[in-house]
Amino acid sequence: MGRRTPGAEPVPVASHHNMQTASGANDLVLHTEACFTAYPPDFLALLGLRPDSIGQAATLVSDIPRALAHLTPAERGALREPLFVFPTDRGSYLHEGRRTTEPVPLLRDRPDGPALEYSTLITAITPAGAAALAALEESLGRCAQSVLLGSGDLLLIDNRHAVHGRTAFRPAYDGADRWIQRVLLLRQLPSGGRIVPDTRLAHYPTDYIKALALPA
């Protein structure tokens, strides 16, 4: 069997049940797609091929500008500072004895509005950063809307201006579970015109890469 790539698995996988991945079944935390990677997509398209038969698996979407409006200027300022890391054994930075990615800002200003790279798995390295991160998490959760994708439904998410996640559900793993096809879209390819070899997974934890059978 060949290697899988992120998003290629069409149905939930029993061995991924508790993992933070589209092929899992527990709560998928709010996040921007492929944050802290070399080529995060501009848009994420989710096509419903087969719905969850009992309606447990809802896609969650939260508008970033709306959530940011509930934060104080100091909190938004902290989010623009390089105070945030992602825990991974492949990281080059040490925070409280753990390897992480290098500290980066979560919030950047772009001509089309504020752009956020975010996951609830991110950690702040200062008290001010931690307070801003907690306020952001609370606000994104409060602003989140629930979408149940039926067969043929297409949900297009602006990855720079919205976070998404999924509620937990109970798959039967019988070939008839919820099936969502995911497509990542870029406005413009990087210089060279191709994303091969794909270096986006450079900072993903080793155990995550092995569990998904992804290239190291």
Side-chain angles (χ1 to χ4, degrees), residues 82-98:
L83 303 176
F84 307 95
V85 296
F86 192 89
T88 171
D89 63 335
R90 297 161 67 84
S92 57
Y93 185 82
L94 284 178
H95 173 59
E96 296 181 345
R98 298 180 60 189

Side-chain angles (χ1 to χ4, degrees), residues 134-192:
L136 175 64
E137 181 175 354
E138 191 278 333
S139 187
L140 286 171
R142 180 152 38 99
C143 294
Q145 299 185 50
S146 176
V147 180
L148 286 171
L149 291 172
S151 297
D153 289 342
L154 177 66
L155 179 62
L156 186 63
I157 299 171
D158 187 329
N159 194 49
R160 297 296 179 145
H161 299 149
V163 298
H164 67 282
R166 187 203 60 236
T167 57
F169 64 111
R170 296 181 179 178
Y173 300 115
D174 60 357
D177 290 317
R178 175 181 183 263
W179 183 0
I180 303 296
Q181 183 64 55
R182 178 179 58 172
V183 179
L184 309 184
L185 305 169
L186 286 167
R187 286 191 179 99
Q188 183 176 356
L189 288 176
S191 59

Side-chain angles (χ1 to χ4, degrees), residues 6 26 67 70 107 118 130 132 135 159 190 201 208 214-215:
N26 266 352
H70 295 288
L107 182 62
Y118 175 77
N159 194 49
L201 304 173
Y208 181 92
L214 298 173

Side-chain angles (χ1 to χ4, degrees), residues 19-31 33 60 120 164-168 182:
M19 295 182 64
Q20 285 296 312
T21 173
S23 52
N26 266 352
D27 288 307
L28 187 61
V29 300
L30 290 175
H31 62 286
E33 192 70 18
L60 302 174
T120 53
H164 67 282
R166 187 203 60 236
T167 57
R182 178 179 58 172

Side-chain angles (χ1 to χ4, degrees), residues 3 19 86-91 99 201-216:
R3 294 181 183 270
M19 295 182 64
F86 192 89
T88 171
D89 63 335
R90 297 161 67 84
R99 287 193 174 275
L201 304 173
H203 295 305
Y204 280 36
T206 301
D207 58 353
Y208 181 92
I209 291 175
K210 289 181 178 178
L212 296 184
L214 298 173

